[in-house]
Amino acid sequence: MLSPRVAPAGILLAAVTALSGCGSQNTTAPSAALEGPAPAAALESPELVAATPSATASGLTITDPWVKTVKKGMTTAFGTLVNGTGAAVTVVSATSPLSPMIELHEIADSGGKMVMRPKEGGFVIPARGTYRLQPGGDHIMLMGVTEEVKPGARIPFTLTLADGGKVAFTAVGKDFAGAKEDYQPGMGDG
C-alpha cells in the first residue's frame, strides 16, 4: 500500500509520462505515401527524420518537401516553409547526408541575366507567414551529390535557424523537368 505522500507523486509522474508523448510535432507534411529506397542507408537516420525539440519551439515547419532526382552532381530541394509564430524566423543554413556542400540560393537579375547565387541573410519567413522554395526561385542547393536520388527516395535534411534552433524534415525524390533549370557549376557567376 502506498503512503498518502507517495500516491500523489506517482499519479503526477504517470500523468507527465503520458503527456510527454503528445508534446512533439512532426515538421513535415504527412509522409505515409512516401515510399521507396533511400540513396544510402545513412539517409534513413531516425534521429534526422523525427522533429527535434528546437523545431517545435521554433514554430517553423515545411510542407511538401521534395528533391529533384539526379544521378550525381548537383540537385535542389524545394517546399514551403511555414512560420506559426508571431515573429520572423530566419533559416541560415541546411545540411543533409546526401551532400557535403549545401547552400541557400536565390535566382536574381544580374545585368539583365537571371543568375543563381547564395541568398544573402538566408530565408526570412515572416511572422505567421510562408516562404516558398520552388523551381526557378529560391531553393536549397546540394552540390557534390555522389548518391543517385531516385523517385520516391527519402532524403533527410536539417535546417539551422538564426537563433541556433534546428528543424529536421524528410524530402521525397521527384522527377522534374520544368522551369528549365540546369543547376550546373558557374550558373552563379554573373
Side-chain angles (χ1 to χ4, degrees):
M1 182 164 147
L2 295 174
S3 74
R5 292 168 62 148
V6 175
I11 292 170
L12 179 60
L13 179 60
V16 169
T17 302
L19 290 176
S20 66
C22 299
S24 64
Q25 295 178 3
N26 190 347
T27 59
T28 63
S31 60
L34 307 180
E35 305 258 338
L43 299 182
E44 287 297 325
S45 170
E47 294 82 30
L48 293 177
V49 175
T52 63
S54 314
T56 301
S58 75
L60 184 69
T61 59
I62 184 165
T63 60
D64 302 321
W66 63 282
V67 176
K68 184 177 178 186
T69 56
V70 67
K71 292 211 182 274
K72 64 179 181 174
M74 301 175 114
T75 192
T76 51
F78 308 103
T80 301
L81 298 165
V82 180
N83 179 359
T85 73
V89 173
T90 303
V91 175
V92 295
S93 67
T95 59
S96 173
L98 184 63
S99 173
M101 184 175 178
I102 298 179
E103 294 180 352
L104 307 180
H105 277 190
E106 68 180 344
I107 304 293
D109 185 313
S110 176
K113 179 181 174 188
M114 298 307 284
V115 297
M116 178 176 45
R117 64 183 182 203
K119 177 79 171 171
E120 292 291 325
F123 302 144
V124 180
I125 304 89
R128 306 218 186 286
T130 61
Y131 192 96
R132 191 160 182 216
L133 304 176
Q134 62 187 353
D138 292 359
H139 56 273
I140 299 170
M141 187 79 207
L142 294 89
M143 296 162 272
V145 174
T146 57
E147 298 283 340
E148 182 176 3
V149 177
K150 295 180 180 182
R154 295 172 53 90
I155 312 298
F157 284 85
T158 301
L159 303 177
T160 300
L161 309 180
D163 67 3
K166 306 272 187 200
V167 177
F169 67 93
T170 299
V172 65
K174 289 186 180 181
D175 285 331
F176 182 76
K180 300 185 184 192
E181 287 90 10
D182 191 9
Y183 300 128
Q184 296 299 313
M187 275 192 69
D189 304 334

